[in-house]
Short mmCIF file of all heavy atoms in Angstrom, two decimals:
data_model
loop_
_atom_site.label_atom_id
_atom_site.label_comp_id
_atom_site.label_asym_id
_atom_site.label_seq_id
_atom_site.Cartn_x
_atom_site.Cartn_y
_atom_site.Cartn_z
N THR G 411 43.15 135.85 71.13
CA THR G 411 44.51 135.36 71.25
C THR G 411 45.26 135.76 69.99
O THR G 411 44.83 135.46 68.88
CB THR G 411 44.53 133.82 71.41
OG1 THR G 411 43.77 133.49 72.57
CG2 THR G 411 45.94 133.30 71.55
N THR G 412 46.40 136.45 70.18
CA THR G 412 47.16 136.91 69.02
C THR G 412 48.41 136.07 68.76
O THR G 412 48.96 136.12 67.66
CB THR G 412 47.57 138.39 69.21
OG1 THR G 412 48.33 138.50 70.42
CG2 THR G 412 46.35 139.29 69.29
N THR G 413 48.90 135.32 69.76
CA THR G 413 50.04 134.42 69.56
C THR G 413 49.79 133.15 70.34
O THR G 413 48.97 133.11 71.26
CB THR G 413 51.37 135.04 70.06
OG1 THR G 413 51.28 135.22 71.49
CG2 THR G 413 51.69 136.35 69.37
N ARG G 414 50.53 132.11 70.00
CA ARG G 414 50.45 130.85 70.75
C ARG G 414 51.49 130.88 71.86
O ARG G 414 52.52 131.54 71.74
CB ARG G 414 50.74 129.68 69.82
CG ARG G 414 49.70 129.52 68.73
CD ARG G 414 50.00 128.36 67.85
NE ARG G 414 50.02 127.14 68.64
CZ ARG G 414 50.49 125.99 68.22
NH1 ARG G 414 51.01 125.87 67.04
NH2 ARG G 414 50.48 124.92 69.01
N GLY G 415 51.25 130.16 72.94
CA GLY G 415 52.24 130.03 74.00
C GLY G 415 53.42 129.23 73.50
O GLY G 415 53.29 128.40 72.60
N SER G 416 54.60 129.48 74.10
CA SER G 416 55.79 128.75 73.67
C SER G 416 56.80 128.68 74.80
O SER G 416 56.77 129.48 75.73
CB SER G 416 56.42 129.42 72.45
OG SER G 416 56.86 130.72 72.81
N ALA G 417 57.69 127.71 74.70
CA ALA G 417 58.78 127.57 75.67
C ALA G 417 60.06 128.12 75.05
O ALA G 417 60.39 127.79 73.92
CB ALA G 417 58.97 126.11 76.04
N ASP G 418 60.76 128.97 75.79
CA ASP G 418 62.04 129.50 75.33
C ASP G 418 62.80 130.03 76.55
O ASP G 418 62.35 131.00 77.14
CB ASP G 418 61.85 130.60 74.30
CG ASP G 418 63.18 131.13 73.78
OD1 ASP G 418 64.14 130.33 73.73
OD2 ASP G 418 63.26 132.32 73.46
N PRO G 419 63.84 129.39 77.01
CA PRO G 419 64.48 128.23 76.40
C PRO G 419 63.69 126.95 76.67
O PRO G 419 62.82 126.92 77.54
CB PRO G 419 65.84 128.17 77.09
CG PRO G 419 65.59 128.80 78.43
CD PRO G 419 64.54 129.84 78.19
N ASP G 420 63.97 125.94 75.92
CA ASP G 420 63.33 124.64 76.07
C ASP G 420 64.43 123.58 76.03
O ASP G 420 64.44 122.71 75.19
CB ASP G 420 62.31 124.43 74.94
CG ASP G 420 61.47 123.19 75.16
OD1 ASP G 420 61.55 122.59 76.25
OD2 ASP G 420 60.73 122.81 74.24
N GLY G 421 65.37 123.74 76.94
CA GLY G 421 66.56 122.90 76.91
C GLY G 421 66.47 121.71 77.83
O GLY G 421 65.53 121.55 78.59
N PRO G 422 67.50 120.89 77.79
CA PRO G 422 67.54 119.70 78.64
C PRO G 422 67.95 120.05 80.07
O PRO G 422 68.38 121.16 80.36
CB PRO G 422 68.60 118.83 77.96
CG PRO G 422 69.54 119.83 77.35
CD PRO G 422 68.65 120.98 76.89
N ILE G 423 67.87 119.07 80.93
CA ILE G 423 68.34 119.17 82.31
C ILE G 423 69.84 119.44 82.29
O ILE G 423 70.58 118.85 81.49
CB ILE G 423 68.03 117.86 83.06
CG1 ILE G 423 66.52 117.64 83.15
CG2 ILE G 423 68.68 117.85 84.44
CD1 ILE G 423 66.13 116.24 83.58
N LEU G 424 70.31 120.31 83.16
CA LEU G 424 71.74 120.60 83.29
C LEU G 424 72.35 119.59 84.26
O LEU G 424 71.90 119.47 85.41
CB LEU G 424 71.95 122.02 83.80
CG LEU G 424 73.39 122.42 84.14
CD1 LEU G 424 74.24 122.43 82.88
CD2 LEU G 424 73.40 123.77 84.83
N HIS G 425 73.37 118.86 83.82
CA HIS G 425 74.05 117.86 84.65
C HIS G 425 75.45 118.36 84.98
O HIS G 425 76.20 118.74 84.09
CB HIS G 425 74.15 116.52 83.94
CG HIS G 425 72.82 115.90 83.64
ND1 HIS G 425 72.09 115.23 84.59
CD2 HIS G 425 72.09 115.88 82.51
CE1 HIS G 425 70.96 114.80 84.04
NE2 HIS G 425 70.93 115.19 82.79
N THR G 426 75.79 118.34 86.27
CA THR G 426 77.13 118.69 86.70
C THR G 426 77.60 117.67 87.73
O THR G 426 76.79 116.94 88.32
CB THR G 426 77.19 120.11 87.31
OG1 THR G 426 76.25 120.20 88.38
CG2 THR G 426 76.88 121.18 86.29
N LYS G 427 78.91 117.63 87.94
CA LYS G 427 79.48 116.74 88.96
C LYS G 427 80.29 117.59 89.92
O LYS G 427 81.02 118.49 89.52
CB LYS G 427 80.36 115.68 88.31
CG LYS G 427 79.55 114.71 87.47
CD LYS G 427 80.40 113.54 87.03
CE LYS G 427 79.60 112.69 86.07
NZ LYS G 427 79.14 111.46 86.58
N LEU G 428 80.12 117.29 91.20
CA LEU G 428 80.85 117.97 92.26
C LEU G 428 81.47 116.93 93.17
O LEU G 428 81.20 115.74 93.04
CB LEU G 428 79.90 118.86 93.07
CG LEU G 428 79.17 119.97 92.31
CD1 LEU G 428 78.16 120.64 93.22
CD2 LEU G 428 80.16 120.98 91.79
N THR G 429 82.26 117.39 94.12
CA THR G 429 82.80 116.51 95.15
C THR G 429 82.09 116.86 96.46
O THR G 429 82.06 118.02 96.86
CB THR G 429 84.31 116.70 95.29
OG1 THR G 429 84.92 116.40 94.03
CG2 THR G 429 84.88 115.77 96.35
N GLY G 430 81.50 115.84 97.08
CA GLY G 430 80.78 116.05 98.33
C GLY G 430 81.72 116.29 99.50
O GLY G 430 82.93 116.20 99.38
N GLY G 431 81.13 116.58 100.63
CA GLY G 431 81.86 116.82 101.86
C GLY G 431 80.99 117.64 102.79
O GLY G 431 80.02 118.25 102.36
N LYS G 432 81.35 117.67 104.07
CA LYS G 432 80.50 118.39 105.03
C LYS G 432 80.43 119.88 104.76
O LYS G 432 79.46 120.53 105.12
CB LYS G 432 80.93 118.11 106.46
CG LYS G 432 82.26 118.69 106.84
CD LYS G 432 82.60 118.39 108.29
CE LYS G 432 83.94 118.98 108.63
NZ LYS G 432 83.91 120.00 109.59
N ASP G 433 81.43 120.43 104.08
CA ASP G 433 81.42 121.85 103.76
C ASP G 433 81.01 122.15 102.32
O ASP G 433 81.09 123.30 101.88
CB ASP G 433 82.80 122.46 104.03
CG ASP G 433 83.13 122.43 105.52
OD1 ASP G 433 82.22 122.64 106.34
OD2 ASP G 433 84.31 122.19 105.86
N ALA G 434 80.60 121.12 101.58
CA ALA G 434 80.19 121.32 100.18
C ALA G 434 78.95 122.21 100.13
O ALA G 434 78.03 122.08 100.94
CB ALA G 434 79.91 119.98 99.51
#
Side-chain angles (χ1 to χ4, degrees):
T411 302
T412 58
T413 64
R414 296 181 60 193
S416 64
D418 182 31
D420 189 9
I423 296 167
L424 173 65
H425 297 281
T426 56
K427 293 189 186 253
L428 300 173
T429 300
K432 68 179 180 115
D433 294 323

